[in-house]
Each structure stands twice: as structure tokens, then as C-alpha cells.
Amino acid sequence: MGTGSLAFLLVVMLCIVFLVVLLSFIPVGLWISALAAGVRVGIVTLIGMRLRRVPPALIVNPLIKADKAGIDITVDQLEAHYLAGGNVDRVVDALIAAERANIPLQFERAAAIDLAGRNVLEAVQMSVNPKVIETPVISAVAKDGIELKTVARVTVRANIDRLVGGAGEETIIARVGEGVVTSCGSTSSHKQVLENPDNISKTVLSKGLDAGTAFEILSIDIADVDIGRNIGAQLQTDQAEADKNIAQAKAEERRAMAVAQEQEMKARVQEMRAKVVEAESEVPRAMAEAFRSGRLGVMDYYNMQNILADTKMRESISSGPQQNPMNRKQDTE
């Protein structure tokens, strides 16, 4: 094999390698698919997507889908939405679904909803097929003190115009729960709620709970109502127990004060007895002084002793006979 043949083979191999690299960089197959579908996408545009690190398939395939559905969207719009972090395929599907359901939805609105973090396709589907949201068990208390455990089912439809900036399902559940609690609390008896649970749904539905949310409330249905605890009786029991404890505390306080006063009176009695003993201790001194001064004679002292002895005898007679244990033993013998 000559030198010319080797050079020719090398050139052919380089051409093949260049062609493979070129075809891998330029999506010729995707360009042919778009051309066959009647969508005009230039090779330069596809190369530009590669340079901007945009996968051409994520732009061209949704563009073909939108063109077949009769939706006018440009490549620049789809590419800009992808670069902004949106889901191009989901937005196109949502536009097609809205077009089939005769729901007015523009690409800019759908792109804004998608960039806001909401599933625009699910929102369109919910606009066509309303969704039922079931609330957790809501505890409410009627005026008679009976607890009512209620479960409500809320039928909502997505409001596409309020998807951007509108509140979600959590707000709907919270507002419905608040409305049920208010309605049950305003009834005079729990029997009224059990007899006519639809009154609660009508009252709650009339309050316009879907204001500022991304949904439109179609109906609120009370699915289940159960009787819970007797909250009123329990509160009265707790209040009575608290009153009893307060009364016991006050009684204990009065008893402690009475015991303290009794101890104080005993101390005063002991104090008065000490004063009496002290005064009695002065009697012998006074008598001795009277003897020394001559104001009291011996006969006067004897007369006083006789009077004291007579007084003791009378006291013993008036108190009755008292026998000591020894005398009672002798009498028994």
C-alpha cells in the first residue's frame, strides 16, 4: 500500500470522526423530526441551544406538541421559560388541556403559575374535575357544654386567575374548621347540630371562605358528627373541686389562727399565774412587817388562821367526801 493510500484513509477517518462529532453536537435527527412535523426550527437555533446549555429535545418536542394542538408558541418563549427554571413540557400540557376544556389560559399566565411552584397542569385538571378535601376531626363545643367531633368534606375547584399569590389547601382547611367551631358554638344545644348538620355547612359556605385562596369552594358537606365529652360538666366539676380546695385552705387558715390564739391565751394565763405567785410571795413579808411595826398582833394572827381553817373545812364539806385509794381498799376489806 502506497503513501497516497494511507493519506487517503487518514483523511477519510478524520472526516468520519468530524462528522460523528458534528452530528452529536448538532441534533440533526431532531431537526428532521421538527421539519417533518411542519415546525420550522433552524439548525443555527439548535446549535445556539447547545451553546446555551439548553437540551434541544426539551424545547423542540413540546413545540411540536403545541403546534399540533393549534397553540401558537415560539421557540424563544419555551427556551426563556426553561432558562428561568420552569417545566416546559408541563406548561405545554397544561395549555393543551385548557384549550380542550375551553379554559382561557395564556402562555405567560401558565409560565408564571409554573414558576410560582404550583402544578399548572394539575390546576387545569382541577378546574375541570373538582377536588374533594376532607378535613381532620374538628372538635367544637355547643352552648350546653357537649363536645361535637365533626368531619367535613370541601369540594373545591382551582381558580387559575388566583393561583399566583393565592393561599393553598391548608388555608381552606383552617377556615372551614374555624367556621364549623363557630357554628357549633353558637347553637344552644348539641341536638340541633345532630338534627340538622346541613345548617353548619350552609352557615360556613355563606362566609366566603375562599377569598384570597387559589380555589373556589363549590360545597361544604358535613360527613360525620360524633358526640364527645361533656365539657360543661367537666368544667363545673373542676370549678367545684377548686372551690373546695379554696374553702379547705381558708378553714385551715382559720384553724391555725384559732390554735395560735389558744396558745396565746395559755401563755397569758401562765403569765397571770406568775403574777399571782409573785403577789402571794409578798404576803409573808407584809405580815412580818406588820408584826414588827405592831399593826398586827399574835391574837389577830391566830384569828386569821382559824378563819382560814374554817374556810377550808367548809370547802371540803361542800365538795363531798373524798377517799384516797388506801381508804377505799380498807372499806372493801
Side-chain angles (χ1 to χ4, degrees), residues 31-68:
W31 175 76
I32 295 175
S33 298
L35 187 62
V39 178
R40 294 185 177 181
V41 180
I43 294 292
V44 178
T45 304
L46 296 176
I47 296 175
M49 291 182 188
R50 289 289 192 187
L51 296 176
R52 288 187 292 271
R53 295 183 180 180
V54 177
L58 296 181
I59 303 299
V60 175
N61 290 332
L63 183 64
I64 295 173
K65 191 189 305 183
D67 183 76
K68 292 300 180 181

Side-chain angles (χ1 to χ4, degrees), residues 227-239:
I227 297 178
R229 299 170 298 169
N230 192 338
I231 302 297
Q234 185 176 356
L235 292 176
Q236 292 177 0
T237 302
D238 295 341
Q239 184 64 39

Side-chain angles (χ1 to χ4, degrees), residues 10-328:
L10 183 61
V11 171
V12 171
M13 291 178 63
L14 290 177
C15 291
I16 293 173
V17 171
F18 177 76
L19 184 61
V20 171
V21 173
L22 183 64
L23 291 177
S24 63
F25 186 78
I26 301 174
V28 179
L30 192 63
W31 175 76
I32 295 175
S33 298
L35 187 62
V39 178
R40 294 185 177 181
V41 180
I43 294 292
V44 178
T45 304
L46 296 176
I47 296 175
M49 291 182 188
R50 289 289 192 187
L51 296 176
R52 288 187 292 271
R53 295 183 180 180
V54 177
L58 296 181
I59 303 299
V60 175
N61 290 332
L63 183 64
I64 295 173
K65 191 189 305 183
D67 183 76
K68 292 300 180 181
I71 299 174
D72 187 14
I73 303 177
T74 63
V75 176
D76 293 336
Q77 287 177 325
L78 297 179
E79 189 175 355
H81 184 64
Y82 175 83
L83 292 174
N87 192 322
V88 177
D89 191 63
R90 186 165 55 193
V91 170
V92 173
D93 290 342
L95 292 174
I96 295 173
E99 179 70 19
R100 295 295 182 267
N102 294 325
I103 298 176
L105 179 63
Q106 301 298 326
F107 175 79
E108 290 77 10
R109 188 67 179 176
I113 296 172
D114 185 64
L115 292 176
R118 297 185 181 275
N119 193 328
V120 61
L121 179 59
E122 182 180 350
V124 173
Q125 292 173 350
M126 194 182 300
S127 298
V128 179
N129 185 18
K131 180 180 179 181
V132 177
I133 302 174
E134 183 170 331
T135 64
V137 178
I138 303 171
S139 296
V141 181
K143 289 184 179 180
D144 57 356
I146 303 299
E147 180 187 19
L148 297 172
K149 297 181 178 180
T150 308
V151 176
R153 288 191 177 96
V154 186
T155 304
V156 296
R157 181 172 57 194
N159 192 334
I160 297 178
D161 294 334
R162 293 186 301 194
L163 280 176
V164 179
E169 295 182 8
E170 293 80 5
T171 303
I172 294 292
I173 294 174
R175 290 182 180 180
V176 171
E178 180 184 359
V180 171
V181 171
T182 303
S183 300
C184 292
S186 61
T187 56
S188 58
S189 175
H190 69 284
K191 297 180 181 179
Q192 297 179 1
V193 179
L194 296 176
E195 292 174 356
N196 298 307
D198 56 335
N199 292 336
I200 299 177
S201 59
K202 292 178 181 178
T203 304
V204 175
L205 188 60
S206 63
K207 293 183 178 181
L209 302 180
D210 54 359
T213 64
F215 303 97
E216 177 185 355
I217 297 179
L218 301 179
S219 66
I220 299 176
D221 302 315
I222 303 300
D224 188 19
V225 179
D226 294 329
I227 297 178
R229 299 170 298 169
N230 192 338
I231 302 297
Q234 185 176 356
L235 292 176
Q236 292 177 0
T237 302
D238 295 341
Q239 184 64 39
E241 184 69 20
D243 294 340
K244 185 189 74 172
N245 293 334
I246 293 173
Q248 288 179 351
K250 290 183 178 179
E252 184 65 22
E253 181 182 0
R254 291 194 297 269
R255 189 189 69 81
M257 292 179 63
V259 171
Q261 187 176 6
E262 180 184 3
Q263 295 298 326
E264 183 179 357
M265 295 303 295
K266 288 181 179 180
R268 292 183 61 184
V269 168
Q270 295 296 329
E271 182 182 359
M272 297 304 294
R273 286 180 179 175
K275 290 182 179 180
V276 170
V277 171
E278 183 181 2
E280 288 178 351
S281 65
E282 296 293 332
V283 173
R285 295 181 183 179
M287 292 179 65
E289 183 65 26
F291 277 118
R292 283 194 297 270
S293 62
R295 292 194 299 273
L296 181 65
V298 177
M299 296 304 296
D300 294 332
Y301 178 73
Y302 285 156
N303 290 333
M304 183 184 66
Q305 292 296 327
N306 290 332
I307 293 172
L308 292 175
D310 186 58
T311 302
K312 289 182 179 179
M313 181 184 66
R314 291 182 179 182
E315 288 178 354
S316 63
I317 293 172
S318 63
S319 62
Q322 295 181 355
Q323 296 180 353
N324 54 26
M326 296 299 296
N327 293 334
R328 287 199 297 271

